[in-house]
Amino acid sequence: MSIPSDLDIAQAATLKPMDDVAAQMDLPPEYLERHGTDVAKIELDAIEAMKDRPRAKYVVVTAITPTPLGEGKTTTTVGLGQAFSHIGKRGVVAIRQPSMGPTFGIKGGAAGGGYSQVVPMEKFNLHLTGDFHAVTSAHNMLSAVLDNHLYQGNEAGLDPYRVTWRRVLDVNERALRNVVTGLGGRMDGVPRESGFDITSASEVMAVLALSNDLGELRQRLGRIVVGYTKDGDAVTAEDIHGAGSMAALMRDALKPNLMQTLENTPVLVHAGPFGNIAHGNSSIVADRIGIHGGDFLVTEAGFGADMGAERFFNIKCRASGMVPDAAVVVATVRALKAHSGNHKIVAGKDLPPALLEENPEEVHAGGANLRKQIENMRLHGVSPVVCINAFPTDHPSEHQAIREIAESLGARAAVSTHFADGGRGAAELAEAVAEAANEESHFQLLYPDDAPLREKIETVATKVYGADGVDYAPAANTSIDLYERNGFGNLPVCIAKTHLSISSDPKLLGAPTGWRMPVREVRASVGAGFIYPICGDMRTMPGLGKNPAAHHIDVKPDGTIVGLF
């Protein structure tokens, strides 16, 4: 049976009024700020109004190390949220808002897929309620205040060669990665090198995601470091009087967005921090509302369990104080076969024919990656459930191979057909998650706040990635010393590395051993509240491909959008 396109499925959906969606969370309509008939913002007063209600089970969805095609975490998150109604429970979903850069680049959309989607798809992927634009404006407001500060005499003593704050834009635009500002003449500012990042890579976006309330948002914005003096002292947004205006621009963006799935399950869509140099998780305020809105709150962590889930545990949970009850590790037959080393998967190209042949032995050969990601969940004391995300090209013997890998480590496993069958197809997964979430929680952070930065980095590298140790470039050592001298050593770490391997080398598949992690440089997101060591070349402003989705997205005369997928 052929399945219609994601956009066709989404545009045929029957949506409930937002009051009815909110009612499923027992959220009174007076807390809704409506944006049309099918999207609403939720007033932050709802957090206080709902705080004494029973707490939902808190479930994070992560994955094995993905192929360049992705393994369906968002689709699984949505499908699982829908599935709880099929086993007599109430589910709430909390996910990030997609960046328009990748939407018009390679992704073409990020609302889930098949019969497990967030709708309306067009609004979800394009603008929504303008939160990304607020982040862009707030970030660039600080950039403008900074350059004006330099022009007006530089009272803070910023060293122009040590300014770290750039500009952002929510498009893929490689030509803006490196620019020179202030050209033209004396009245046009102080010439200096700078550049642009994509909005999801903005520290302001991470601040939005990690703030518990408006007061904390304002404090975090004030702590943003924009650069250093010649003596190495940090200069903040507060020091140059830029934080207040940023907070004013961000006030309404802090309110989470309420949408629904194809089966009308409530979805909280909020924030979109970059998954490489930030923590890659949706917002704390959305979770603080969702945790009191049903029986299960299902959220998603970006990339594989070694990245998004580790940051969910050690950055987001550290900031929110919320403790997870279970974790779902999404696995696919194709990804485990790829981890066997016998196949190469390239985005935009057909899968190798040999990959589609029945071969459970190859699944077992690539199983080391799944075993390590299960181990990474248990490092944090969280019960893992393996979701076997079923594709039509899979074979039952290959699903059985994944079950055998999971069960050999004492982990539950369930085959899920949520893409084709919606929530009904994830009912087995929902039952397994409910069992895991009812087990006694033993959640623990990987390292304490007061551990030195190098110890934190090495703990993640050795325990989560399986490295033998860490090698620091001279510039990285200098930065670590600078940050600890400025009082930033108590922050958690967010290691920026490839998402295509548990290691820092995208060519190393499975669960590599016998390697050392090279740290090229270390940067600080002090307002967001983490230090990020960089391993390899991390692009913070993507470029468009030869045939981007932007070539195909269009609008008909009647207003219908086409080309999203």
Side-chain angles (χ1 to χ4, degrees):
M1 181 186 75
S2 63
I3 297 177
S5 73
D6 289 352
L7 186 57
D8 286 343
I9 292 171
Q11 290 179 337
T14 301
L15 276 62
K16 284 187 175 181
M18 295 314 296
D19 284 10
D20 293 350
V21 176
Q24 296 179 65
M25 298 173 60
D26 295 324
L27 179 64
E30 58 263 31
Y31 292 107
L32 299 184
E33 180 185 290
R34 292 161 185 79
H35 288 250
T37 59
D38 41 31
V39 179
K41 276 194 166 292
I42 302 175
E43 297 286 350
L44 296 183
D45 290 346
I47 296 174
E48 181 68 20
M50 300 172 74
K51 71 176 184 179
D52 294 327
R53 294 183 186 176
R55 180 188 180 278
K57 296 294 185 181
Y58 193 27
V59 180
V60 60
V61 177
T62 184
I64 63 172
T65 302
T67 67
L69 306 180
E71 307 318 310
K73 281 195 316 302
T74 304
T75 309
T76 300
T77 303
V78 175
L80 177 58
Q82 294 180 151
F84 283 114
S85 67
H86 293 265
I87 66 168
K89 303 292 184 181
R90 292 189 303 155
V92 177
V93 174
I95 57 176
R96 288 181 293 171
Q97 179 182 341
S99 166
M100 286 195 295
T103 293
F104 284 92
I106 193 170
K107 282 189 173 182
Y115 289 94
S116 293
Q117 292 189 59
V118 180
V119 285
M121 181 188 186
E122 303 92 327
K123 288 189 178 179
F124 181 83
N125 286 298
L126 306 174
H127 302 293
L128 197 53
T129 56
D131 295 346
F132 268 62
H133 302 310
V135 171
T136 302
S137 297
H139 184 116
N140 292 336
M141 170 66 75
L142 182 58
S143 302
V145 168
L146 187 157
D147 278 303
N148 185 59
H149 185 89
L150 294 174
Y151 178 77
Q152 300 292 351
N154 193 10
E155 181 182 345
L158 263 171
D159 182 350
Y161 294 100
R162 302 183 77 176
V163 171
T164 56
W165 194 251
R166 291 155 56 92
R167 286 172 167 79
V168 297
L169 196 64
D170 195 30
V171 297
N172 290 3
E173 177 56 286
R174 63 172 58 84
L176 294 178
R177 287 172 181 161
N178 298 286
V179 301
V180 177
T181 61
L183 297 180
R186 190 175 65 85
M187 298 298 293
D188 297 314
V190 178
R192 64 181 185 86
E193 292 186 18
S194 186
F196 279 78
D197 301 321
I198 197 163
T199 296
S200 56
S202 167
E203 185 176 350
V204 179
M205 183 66 80
V207 166
L208 172 66
L210 289 169
S211 297
N212 281 276
D213 51 43
L214 186 59
E216 184 179 337
L217 175 83
R218 173 63 180 82
Q219 292 171 2
R220 286 178 178 269
L221 292 173
R223 292 199 298 264
I224 288 173
V225 173
V226 298
Y228 298 86
T229 67
K230 291 181 179 179
D231 293 331
D233 296 327
V235 177
T236 67
E238 203 71 72
D239 293 333
I240 62 172
H241 311 295
S245 294
M246 296 172 73
L249 288 167
M250 292 295 295
R251 183 192 65 174
D252 291 335
L254 188 59
K255 303 170 185 176
N257 305 291
L258 179 63
M259 299 184 73
Q260 61 191 292
T261 72
L262 290 167
E263 297 180 13
N264 312 118
T265 303
V267 183
L268 299 165
V269 181
H270 201 213
F274 210 64
N276 284 107
I277 66 160
H279 63 297
N281 286 263
S282 56
S283 77
I284 287 174
V285 292
D287 286 0
R288 291 182 67 195
I289 293 171
I291 202 71
H292 297 292
D295 299 311
F296 290 86
L297 171 61
V298 185
T299 191
E300 175 192 2
F303 295 135
D306 53 300
M307 296 186 70
E310 183 273 315
R311 297 164 182 179
F312 172 83
F313 298 141
N314 292 297
I315 297 177
K316 184 177 180 181
C317 293
R318 191 185 300 263
S320 70
M322 296 172 64
V323 176
D325 297 291
V328 174
V329 180
V330 179
T332 61
V333 167
R334 75 178 180 196
L336 288 173
K337 284 184 172 181
H339 279 292
S340 74
N342 296 334
H343 309 281
K344 185 176 182 180
I345 297 176
V346 180
K349 293 187 177 181
D350 292 338
L351 292 173
L355 183 75
L356 305 180
E357 296 175 1
E358 183 173 7
N359 196 334
E361 289 77 19
E362 275 192 343
V363 175
H364 278 290
N369 189 271
L370 174 56
R371 286 191 288 272
K372 184 67 177 88
Q373 301 292 28
I374 291 173
E375 178 188 316
N376 287 337
M377 298 301 97
R378 293 211 166 109
L379 276 174
H380 297 89
V382 179
S383 296
V385 177
V386 175
C387 168
I388 304 169
N389 185 15
F391 291 4
T393 53
D394 297 346
H395 301 273
S397 65
E398 296 168 334
H399 291 166
Q400 181 59 29
I402 298 177
R403 282 191 190 272
E404 290 169 1
I405 295 168
E407 290 169 358
S408 71
L409 276 77
R412 295 173 175 85
V415 175
S416 188
T417 59
H418 48 272
F419 184 92
D421 300 318
R424 177 173 55 86
E428 180 191 354
L429 176 63
E431 294 278 13
V433 169
E435 289 180 5
N438 281 323
E439 294 179 348
E440 185 179 354
S441 176
H442 300 284
F443 176 71
Q444 61 184 11
L445 298 171
L446 202 58
Y447 49 79
D449 290 345
D450 58 3
L453 288 175
R454 288 178 183 83
E455 181 180 319
K456 293 172 182 174
I457 295 167
E458 288 159 18
T459 297
V460 175
T462 57
K463 291 189 175 182
V464 177
Y465 306 158
D468 286 347
V470 180
D471 297 322
Y472 299 93
N477 275 319
T478 299
S479 295
I480 290 173
D481 293 340
L482 174 68
Y483 300 149
E484 291 187 334
R485 183 169 70 81
N486 276 278
F488 309 150
N490 65 325
L491 298 178
V493 295
C494 181
I495 298 176
K497 71 172 187 70
T498 180
H499 63 286
L500 297 175
S501 172
I502 292 181
S503 77
S504 57
D505 182 348
K507 299 183 182 67
L508 298 180
L509 302 175
T513 58
W515 62 280
R516 295 181 64 83
M517 188 176 80
V519 175
R520 176 171 57 86
E521 62 177 298
V522 182
R523 300 179 187 175
S525 288
V526 180
F530 52 77
I531 303 296
Y532 61 101
I534 299 177
C535 308
D537 184 19
M538 289 292 109
R539 293 289 188 187
T540 53
M541 171 56 87
L544 292 174
K546 188 173 182 179
N547 186 28
H551 289 180
H552 310 285
I553 296 172
D554 207 336
V555 61
K556 294 181 178 179
D558 66 357
T560 302
I561 290 174
V562 297
L564 292 168
F565 55 87

